[in-house]
């Protein structure tokens, strides 16, 4: 549907089997891009499926489509690791044309009322979601400008970046921040023909929802235990009815918007924050 032949895409947080990152990485490959698959660890959800090897599984999937792919690990909150990620990606593929800034903090001790929120939990969320977005976009933007401009940067906010809700204070604040950052960067990079847009997903059925459910539960239960108890699917189906279009999103729903934003079809769009939420958030 789009032509990304000859383009190189970098996607962070792409090692989860059901994650948004994997869906975007494989969708961009299907459109013709070669892909740098990045994550903080090779297999972030190793416990969920014994068949899944994380980022290397995504690489194999993309190679199976006839595209090139490589895994490069980096912690997005660490400037040296982020700079090394971009340098190594450019060394291996010669360029980065598309950057999807998808890595996000794992829900846990941050999903409590503000009066119970520990400084460390706040910092963890902001270091990954907001500082990580800054560090990654800075490194990629420097590269894109150095090679003469042109490129697509897609950040990952959330409907929580438009409206706060109880027990989501740290997360919502970080995702509001991502939208402000995206708008500022879009203005700065417009003259270099680099488009910068944010995606704001609603509920997407990925591994992270077991962690959110466990953190919000009155039980003393971990995200791993929550998923193993078989309640993940049931909780997702309960949420389906709250979405006007009748179901929560899949990673592929988000990947469709990412593919559009990565393509030349979006050349006149910059500084936007686009809801992918089935109507559960508007405006
Ligand atoms: P996910 O947990 O599968 O993806 C997040 C990825 O980020 C994981 O692979 C994780 O290992 C990685 N990561 C965590 N810390 C990192 C670090 N320091 N450095 C590099 N990578 C790191 O969850 P997902 O649902 O696929 O979420 C992807 C993005 O979409 C996140 O930014 C999330 O906030 C956002 N989002 C998700 C939903 C949803 O309902 N699933 C809704 C709105 C926004």
């Amino acid at each position: 549907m789009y032509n990304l032949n000859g383009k190189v895409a970098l996607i962070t947080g792409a090692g989860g089997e059901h994650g948004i990152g994997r869906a975007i990485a494989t969708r961009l490959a299907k459109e013709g891009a070669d892909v740098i698959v990045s994550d903080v660890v090779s297999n972030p959800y190793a416990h969920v499926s014994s068949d899944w090897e994380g980022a290397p599984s995504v690489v194999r999937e993309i190679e199976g489509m006839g595209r090139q792919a490589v895994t490069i690990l980096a912690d997005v909150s660490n400037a040296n690791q982020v700079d090394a990620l971009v340098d190594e990606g450019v060394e291996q593929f010669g360029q980065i044309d598309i950057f999807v800034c998808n890595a996000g903090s794992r829900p846990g001790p941050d999903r409590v009322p503000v009066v119970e929120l520990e400084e460390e939990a706040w910092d963890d969320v902001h270091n990954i979601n907001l500082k990580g977005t800054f560090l990654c976009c800075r490194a990629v933007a420097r590269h894109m400008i150095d090679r003469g401009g042109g490129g697509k940067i897609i950040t990952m906010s959330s409907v929580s970046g438009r409206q706060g809700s109880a027990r989501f204070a740290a997360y919502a604040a970080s995702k509001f921040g991502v939208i402000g950052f995206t708008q500022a960067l879009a203005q700065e990079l417009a003259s270099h023909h680099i488009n910068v847009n944010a995606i704001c997903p609603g509920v997407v059925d990925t591994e992270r929802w077991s962690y959110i459910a466990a953190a919000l539960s009155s039980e003393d239960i971990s995200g791993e235990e929550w998923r193993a108890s078989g309640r993940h699917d049931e909780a997702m189906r309960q949420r389906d009815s709250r979405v006007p279009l009748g179901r929560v999103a899949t990673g592929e729903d988000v990947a469709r918007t990412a593919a559009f934003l990565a393509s030349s079809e979006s050349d006149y769009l910059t500084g936007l924050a686009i809801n992918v939420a089935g109507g559960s958030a508007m405006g």
Side-chain angles (χ1 to χ4, degrees):
M1 204 166 106
Y2 300 110
N3 181 0
L4 300 181
N5 291 335
K7 304 289 186 191
V8 177
L10 164 63
I11 296 132
T12 59
E17 184 175 8
H18 304 286
I20 293 170
R22 174 199 178 185
I24 294 176
T26 52
R27 177 62 196 258
L28 297 187
K30 207 176 280 181
E31 303 295 345
D34 295 326
V35 185
I36 301 157
V37 179
S38 187
D39 212 311
V40 66
V41 290
S42 189
N43 196 358
Y45 292 108
H47 60 280
V48 173
S49 161
S50 52
D51 298 337
W52 183 251
E53 289 171 23
S57 294
V58 183
V59 166
R60 273 199 296 281
E61 202 172 4
I62 291 169
E63 287 172 342
M65 298 173 184
R67 311 307 326 166
Q68 289 184 56
V70 69
T71 300
I72 306 177
L73 301 183
D75 178 347
V76 297
S77 67
N78 180 306
N80 291 335
Q81 290 190 30
V82 167
D83 290 347
L85 163 66
V86 172
D87 287 349
E88 201 180 323
V90 172
E91 202 176 297
Q92 295 216 30
F93 286 99
Q95 68 208 56
I96 295 170
D97 306 282
I98 300 159
F99 172 51
V100 186
C101 191
N102 171 70
S105 58
R106 182 170 291 184
D110 60 306
R111 301 299 163 111
V112 296
V114 171
V115 290
E116 295 167 24
L117 184 56
E118 299 290 346
E119 187 179 349
E120 193 186 343
W122 172 275
D123 286 345
D124 278 350
V125 170
H126 283 262
N127 282 338
I128 296 169
N129 293 359
L130 194 48
K131 182 180 168 190
T133 297
F134 152 58
L135 292 175
C136 290
C137 289
R138 183 179 69 172
V140 170
R142 283 173 175 167
H143 158 69
M144 287 177 170
I145 291 168
D146 281 352
R147 64 186 282 253
K152 305 282 188 179
I153 295 178
I154 300 162
T155 58
M156 200 56 70
S157 181
S158 166
V159 294
S160 295
R162 297 186 175 281
Q163 174 150 17
S165 50
R167 302 179 72 160
F168 278 63
Y171 182 75
S174 72
K175 294 298 189 179
F176 267 74
V178 167
I179 292 178
F181 176 83
T182 300
Q183 292 174 353
L185 190 65
Q187 290 200 9
E188 292 175 7
L189 298 184
S191 62
H192 299 282
H193 303 290
I194 300 167
N195 305 68
V196 191
N197 292 292
I199 298 178
C200 302
V203 175
V204 187
D205 186 355
T206 68
E207 286 89 345
R208 73 187 284 108
W209 270 97
S210 294
Y211 291 84
I212 297 173
L216 299 182
S217 158
S218 54
E219 295 168 48
D220 185 14
I221 188 170
S222 68
E224 290 84 356
E225 289 165 342
W226 178 275
R227 187 152 196 123
S229 74
R231 281 179 285 177
H232 176 91
D233 289 341
E234 184 194 326
M236 286 293 107
R237 299 299 65 86
Q238 280 171 7
R239 285 187 171 267
D240 283 343
S241 59
R242 298 191 213 163
V243 182
L245 283 178
R247 61 171 178 82
V248 302
T250 61
E252 287 70 26
D253 291 312
V254 181
R256 276 188 210 113
T257 300
F260 166 67
L261 291 175
S263 77
S264 59
E265 298 296 309
S266 66
D267 276 355
Y268 200 61
L269 304 182
T270 200
L272 298 185
I274 301 176
N275 294 344
V276 180
S280 59
M282 297 184 181

